[in-house]
């Protein structure tokens, strides 16, 4: 076993400030950056688990060691994450899972995304003045809580792919919840900034600020007996207790205490959906990811498709021109994302027409290698009849976690799990937090021309996501790389950059995760402080450049020369453990 962790905490520079929020959009980093901890990759030959927290990685690793599958390990990790990384994910949230069954050589995707209450409509987030609400007005309290999907998705995954007893997978979390876990520095740092937002729900406030003032202290032992009881109920009575039984009752009651619309029927009717993975070649590799309702996968594949004609390898990672071209391709893809992508069960979207090779070729032809385009419009893919969709350019945030797992059976899992904002709705019930995922919908049902927005709120619909779980296969068809990240709509850029770093620039996996984040979501070219050297040259190419903190949350596994290499993001607490 290799489990090394070197801690080098750098104080975040004050000089650049964080990215700012625009009106009615989520602030750029509600799960704020909390420093940098240098990480070392873990190298194994048989198995690997990488999650955003050491306790969750350990839980997953123990499952793998006793012969459990990646599915089993993910369940154990998720139950622990909901306890020890409560700001990011939990059973009160949603997830997307990409799973490669090594024996059948089949890829499965599961959509455990939250759904809107049946009686929610386009004006859910319209304020008293008739205008879209501010982000926190919308997200704190019951209004933005969607039906959680994580448990239904994991239940399904376990039925298909688990080989360990369901109950055994809950044990590490139950033990930690009963005996106590060590509060992380990251959690404390976020809580220090968050107190004013714990305004609605006393249960959450007292849990995180026991005297209503002082946040949980890093390094202290914290117990969560209510969470242990909830997990025991789920083990003893099945997942139905969460969707139809006592826990469902408590969720509905809590959400309705403060502006929420969720009903027992919403919960009892929830289904995790199996969807078809979407895949596209890139430089001989096959990149597979999740389709809508996340925009992450499609947008990623569009960008890669446009980049394929450029010799990024020859340019190298130090050439601002490479970043310029990546940014321009990203701008083009984001214009389409904002216009079209949504829950395909509710609105007709172009979906995979957007990755049609001719269409991407035409879009890429708009890129000028020497100068940023002045304006960008969304395109019209072939065979797509423009209809009543309209633009929604809201950008999103971060209360999310990604895990990458490979087991001894040859299975690979890539799962991004989220409660949306840091600590979600800031409402807690029975020891777990409830999401605010409905703020991923457009706050405006129609655009300035009165046309319906594709990602408008509709009862039962899933809000558009940016989560981008990825599994890449090498030319011989074997798993080559799996990765994903937290980070709202920046997830797409974070993941894209690492794919390019590994495939085009041949970088070691950990070095790829460590490198400065540089990305474009359509408005500005964003550069992490550690990549400051790129700011000036990119400005000179015509980009508005924003330098600041970028709180990615990547985890990744690479299969290389018989080794299984696990790497985690230095910007978060995660670790890799394998053997
Ligand atoms: N709610 C966001 C989404 O689904 C994720 C938030 C995050 O990454 O933190 O895209």
């Amino acid at each position: 076993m290799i489990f090394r962790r070197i801690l080098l905490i750098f104080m975040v520079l004050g000089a650049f400030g964080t990215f700012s929020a625009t009106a009615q959009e989520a602030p750029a980093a509600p799960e704020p950056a909390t420093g940098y901890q240098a990480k070392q990759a873990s190298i194994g030959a048989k198995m690997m688990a990488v999650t955003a927290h050491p306790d969750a990685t350990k839980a997953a690793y123990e499952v793998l060691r006793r012969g459990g599958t990646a599915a089993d390990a993910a369940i154990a990790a998720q139950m622990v994450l909901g306890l020890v990384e409560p700001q990011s994910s939990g059973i009160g949230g949603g997830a997307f899972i990409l799973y490669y069954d090594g024996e059948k050589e089949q890829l499965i995707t599961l959509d455990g995304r939250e759904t809107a209450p049946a009686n929610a409509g386009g004006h859910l987030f319209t304020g008293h003045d008739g205008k879209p609400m501010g982000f926190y007005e919308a997200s704190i309290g019951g209004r933005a809580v969607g039906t959680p999907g994580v448990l239904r998705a994991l239940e399904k995954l376990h039925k298909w792919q688990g080989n360990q007893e369901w109950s055994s997978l809950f044990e590490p979390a139950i033990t930690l919840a009963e005996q106590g876990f060590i509060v992380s520095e990251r959690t404390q740092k976020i809580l220090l900034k968050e107190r004013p937002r714990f305004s609605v729900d006393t249960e959450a406030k007292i849990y995180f600020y026991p005297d209503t003032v002082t946040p949980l202290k890093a390094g202290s032992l914290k117990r969560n007996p209510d969470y242990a009881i909830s997990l025991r109920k789920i083990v003893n009575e099945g997942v139905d207790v969460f969707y139809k039984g006592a826990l469902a009752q408590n969720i509905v009651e809590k959400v309705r205490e403060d502006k929420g619309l969720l009903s027992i029927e919403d919960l009892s009717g929830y289904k995790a959906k199996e969807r078809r993975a979407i895949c596209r070649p890139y430089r001989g590799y096959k990149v597979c990811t999740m389709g809508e309702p996340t925009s992450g996968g499609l947008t990623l594949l569009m960008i890669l498709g446009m980049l394929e004609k450029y010799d990024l390898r020859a340019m190298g990672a130090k050439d601002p021109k490479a970043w310029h071209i990546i940014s321009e391709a990203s701008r083009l893809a984001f214009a389409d994302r904002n216009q079209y992508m949504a829950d395909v069960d509710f609105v007709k979207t172009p979906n995979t027409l957007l990755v049609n090779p001719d269409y991407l070729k035409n879009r890429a032809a708009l890129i000028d290698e020497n100068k940023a385009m002045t304006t960008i419009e969304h395109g019209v893919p072939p065979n797509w009849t423009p209809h009543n969709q309209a633009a929604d350019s809201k950008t999103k945030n971060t209360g999310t976690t990604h895990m990458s797992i490979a087991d001894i059976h040859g299975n690979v899992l890539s799962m991004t799990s989220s409660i949306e904002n840091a600590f979600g709705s800031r409402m807690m019930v029975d020891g777990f937090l409830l999401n605010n995922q409905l703020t991923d919908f457009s706050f405006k049902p129609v655009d300035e021309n009165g046309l319906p927005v594709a990602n408008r709120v509709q009862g039962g619909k899933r809000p558009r996501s940016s989560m981008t779980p990825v599994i890449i296969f090498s030319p011989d068809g074997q798993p080559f790389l799996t990765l994903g990240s937290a980070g709202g709509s920046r997830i797409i850029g974070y993941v894209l950059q690492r794919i390019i770093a590994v495939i085009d620039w041949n970088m070691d996996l950990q070095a790829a995760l460590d490198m400065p984040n540089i990305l474009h979501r359509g408005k500005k070219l964003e550069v992490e402080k550690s990549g400051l050297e790129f700011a000036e040259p990119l400005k000179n190419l015509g980009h508005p450049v924003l330098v600041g903190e970028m709180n990615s949350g990547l985890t990744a596994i690479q299969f290389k020369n018989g080794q299984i290499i696990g790497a985690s993001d230095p910007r978060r607490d995660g670790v890799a453990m394998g053997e």
Side-chain angles (χ1 to χ4, degrees):
M1 176 184 96
I2 295 176
F3 176 24
R4 276 171 288 183
R5 191 168 173 219
I6 303 170
L7 286 181
L8 292 173
I9 313 276
F10 297 117
M11 288 314 292
V12 184
L13 303 172
F16 298 98
T18 49
F19 297 109
S20 63
T22 53
Q24 91 203 25
E25 288 176 359
E31 196 176 332
T34 47
Y36 191 95
Q37 315 170 18
K39 299 282 167 68
Q40 191 164 330
S42 170
I43 300 178
K46 293 190 292 194
M47 63 182 82
M48 184 63 60
V50 201
T51 81
H53 193 284
D55 289 343
T57 297
K58 188 163 171 284
Y61 172 73
E62 296 296 344
V63 172
L64 296 178
R65 283 198 79 192
R66 56 178 201 255
T69 64
D72 294 317
I75 296 162
Q78 177 65 80
M79 296 312 137
V80 172
L81 285 171
L83 179 71
V84 300
E85 198 201 26
Q87 61 269 22
S88 300
S89 76
I91 58 177
F96 292 110
I97 305 170
L98 201 60
Y99 196 88
Y100 176 68
D101 178 328
E103 197 188 321
K104 294 198 189 120
E105 302 191 342
Q106 255 176 19
L107 200 58
I108 298 167
T109 83
L110 272 170
D111 167 352
R113 183 71 164 167
E114 295 88 338
T115 51
N119 59 351
H123 286 287
L124 183 66
F125 298 119
T126 304
H128 295 305
D129 55 2
K131 297 197 180 119
M133 289 175 179
F135 178 77
Y136 286 112
E137 188 188 351
S139 53
I140 295 172
R143 190 191 313 264
V145 179
T147 303
V150 164
L151 273 172
R152 280 286 186 231
L154 290 177
E155 179 187 42
K156 208 167 215 177
L157 183 69
H158 186 256
K159 271 191 193 128
W160 289 342
Q161 296 286 335
N163 73 11
Q164 303 285 299
E165 278 293 321
W166 173 251
S167 59
S168 72
L169 305 173
F170 284 62
E171 275 164 21
I174 292 173
T175 305
L176 276 173
E178 284 174 347
Q179 296 179 2
F181 63 95
I182 303 296
V183 176
S184 77
E185 198 166 333
R186 178 171 168 79
T187 301
Q188 184 192 10
K189 280 186 179 167
I190 301 174
L191 285 171
L192 278 167
K193 301 183 186 177
E194 280 288 323
R195 192 178 47 232
R197 301 201 176 113
F198 282 82
S199 52
V200 173
D201 178 41
T202 312
E203 189 173 340
K205 187 166 197 157
I206 297 298
Y207 180 83
F208 291 108
Y209 306 87
D211 63 359
T212 73
V213 181
T214 320
L216 296 178
K217 202 167 158 354
S220 66
L221 193 73
K222 176 72 183 165
R223 295 190 174 85
N224 186 346
D226 291 347
Y227 185 58
I229 292 169
S230 294
L231 295 188
R232 281 195 196 285
K233 277 193 180 131
I234 294 164
V235 165
N236 295 335
E237 298 170 47
V239 170
D240 272 2
V241 72
F242 185 94
Y243 286 94
K244 297 178 177 170
L247 294 179
Q249 291 287 356
N250 294 347
I251 291 170
V252 168
E253 218 166 275
K254 173 65 58 115
V255 165
R256 287 185 170 235
E257 263 171 29
D258 185 83
K259 306 180 201 80
L261 298 178
L262 271 189
S263 68
I264 285 287
E265 291 71 32
D266 292 321
L267 283 153
S268 62
Y270 183 85
K271 286 194 172 55
K273 293 193 173 178
E274 188 189 1
R275 298 195 189 268
R276 193 176 306 161
I278 50 169
C279 301
R280 207 196 166 279
Y282 182 67
R283 313 234 192 261
Y285 293 84
K286 185 171 157 195
V287 182
C288 293
T289 178
M290 185 85 210
E292 289 162 299
T294 182
S295 64
L298 268 177
T299 309
L300 173 77
L301 296 186
M302 290 182 75
I303 302 169
L304 289 173
M306 286 185 262
L307 291 177
E308 198 141 25
K309 73 170 184 181
Y310 295 100
D311 193 349
L312 293 178
R313 175 167 299 208
M315 290 178 206
K318 291 280 174 205
D319 186 347
K321 200 175 238 184
W323 295 106
H324 162 69
I325 289 166
I326 293 167
S327 296
E328 292 297 86
S330 302
R331 289 173 70 195
L332 288 161
F334 265 84
D336 283 358
R337 166 197 184 268
N338 296 342
Q339 174 68 15
Y340 294 121
M341 297 180 200
D343 182 350
V344 285
D345 296 339
F346 279 76
V347 288
K348 185 163 160 45
T349 80
N351 200 265
T352 50
L353 295 179
L354 291 167
V355 289
N356 172 295
D358 290 334
Y359 176 62
L360 291 180
K361 209 162 144 198
N362 290 338
R363 292 291 277 167
L366 299 171
I367 297 174
D368 179 338
E369 286 184 41
N370 300 306
K371 199 171 170 308
M373 289 172 269
T374 43
T375 54
I376 290 198
E377 304 264 307
H378 68 82
V380 179
N383 304 319
W384 170 253
T385 317
H387 72 314
N388 58 359
Q389 288 195 319
D392 160 38
S393 60
K394 200 155 64 70
T395 56
K396 293 313 305 165
N397 301 306
T398 174
T400 299
T401 198
H402 184 82
M403 63 176 93
S404 302
I405 302 180
D407 67 25
I408 56 168
H409 313 285
N411 306 312
V412 180
L413 170 133
S414 181
M415 167 168 162
T416 316
S417 186
S418 171
I419 54 169
E420 211 305 288
N421 203 250
F423 304 101
S425 61
R426 282 78 170 173
M427 292 193 114
M428 197 175 213
V429 58
D430 293 327
F432 57 89
L433 284 162
L434 296 170
N435 69 83
N436 65 302
Q437 211 69 250
L438 303 186
T439 55
D440 272 359
F441 282 117
S442 168
F443 284 18
K444 295 186 204 160
V446 292
D447 73 351
E448 48 285 357
N449 302 315
L451 296 174
V453 173
N455 185 36
R456 65 190 178 277
V457 183
Q458 293 175 273
K461 188 177 178 183
R462 292 162 195 235
R464 182 184 68 203
S465 170
S466 298
M467 294 192 266
T468 315
V470 170
I471 301 180
I472 301 180
F473 299 88
S474 53
D476 66 3
Q478 291 308 304
F480 167 71
L481 179 66
T482 178
L483 77 165
S485 182
S489 53
R490 291 200 185 102
I491 290 173
I492 299 165
Y494 294 148
V495 170
L496 168 76
Q497 179 175 335
R498 275 59 195 201
I499 294 174
I500 294 168
V502 171
I503 293 182
D504 290 288
W505 297 330
N506 206 18
M507 287 175 72
D508 283 345
L509 192 62
Q510 189 61 57
L513 267 56
D514 294 349
M515 70 194 295
N517 286 310
I518 301 177
L519 53 86
H520 206 311
R521 294 177 294 163
K523 285 190 181 143
K524 298 211 164 134
L525 203 159
E526 298 170 72
V527 177
E528 197 174 12
K529 287 171 189 170
S530 53
L532 189 58
E533 64 195 274
F534 292 99
E536 213 42 47
L538 287 166
K539 268 187 204 155
N540 294 338
L541 284 161
H543 292 282
V545 174
L546 208 52
V547 179
E549 292 166 352
M550 290 172 78
N551 186 21
S552 50
L554 291 145
T555 66
I557 296 175
Q558 187 179 6
F559 304 83
K560 191 176 174 184
N561 305 329
Q563 289 185 327
I564 306 182
I565 303 162
S568 58
D569 200 314
R571 300 157 191 86
R572 299 202 183 207
D573 291 333
V575 288
M577 284 176 84
E579 66 175 44

